[in-house]
Amino acid sequence: MPRKFRSGVLLLATLIFGGTSLASEKVARDPSDLDPYIRVVAAGGLWKQGELYGSCRVVVRKQGWEHSRSYVYLQWLLHDDESQALSVFKSKELTEFEADWFIVQNVTYALESGKNRFVVNLRRRLDDSQVAALLECNEPGQYELKLPEKKR
């Protein structure tokens, strides 16, 4: 294989397979590319499935202007020791938060009795009351959510 051709292939491979790393480094130095609608991120805990393992995080996006609402996502991040990288292994939108027009105020991680739990503090738009939900992150794709009682 000619030397110029090999150099071109190497450069192309680096751009294709190393592009994600370069993009991540750019965002780390200049976070202006982050989604401006993300209002809250909380991470913590560990999950394990066979040989795979990682951590959990809750991501909250707020959309709307006068009539805003929160979109809540639970993500299972995969930890790859070999490449020393994180990636989203599984992501799930938690539509249960749409009930009672909840607006997420903040989220905190709390390891409790060996379980990965997040306390989600909410404001109910209908009456402006402050309530909390308990979200438990289990193995990828599995979770338990205890929402406050619905207002009548």
Side-chain angles (χ1 to χ4, degrees), residues 26-132:
K26 180 195 179 300
V27 170
R29 283 184 265 118
D30 178 15
S32 62
D33 287 339
L34 289 174
D35 182 347
Y37 293 98
I38 291 177
R39 296 288 187 236
V40 177
V41 176
L46 290 173
W47 61 265
K48 187 166 175 51
Q49 190 177 56
E51 294 297 313
L52 303 176
Y53 80 97
S55 57
C56 297
R57 76 175 171 190
V58 176
V59 178
V60 180
R61 294 181 81 242
K62 186 176 174 190
Q63 292 239 202
W65 210 256
E66 288 182 36
H67 302 287
S68 63
R69 62 180 273 212
S70 296
Y71 294 86
V72 181
Y73 304 89
L74 180 57
Q75 295 184 322
W76 290 262
L77 303 179
L78 178 64
H79 296 206
D80 184 341
D81 292 336
E82 190 174 313
S83 65
Q84 296 184 350
L86 297 175
S87 61
V88 176
F89 183 70
K90 179 99 177 161
S91 186
K92 191 160 186 96
E93 182 178 1
L94 306 183
T95 58
E96 296 93 335
F97 285 98
E98 295 173 13
D100 272 2
W101 284 82
F102 288 125
I103 301 294
V104 176
Q105 301 295 303
N106 62 55
V107 180
T108 55
Y109 173 74
L111 178 65
E112 185 179 304
S113 304
K115 299 188 182 229
N116 296 315
R117 292 190 172 154
F118 293 90
V119 177
V120 184
N121 293 302
L122 308 160
R123 180 175 58 84
R124 211 181 243 126
R125 278 197 53 211
L126 299 175
D127 64 2
D128 219 27
S129 61
Q130 304 288 319
V131 294

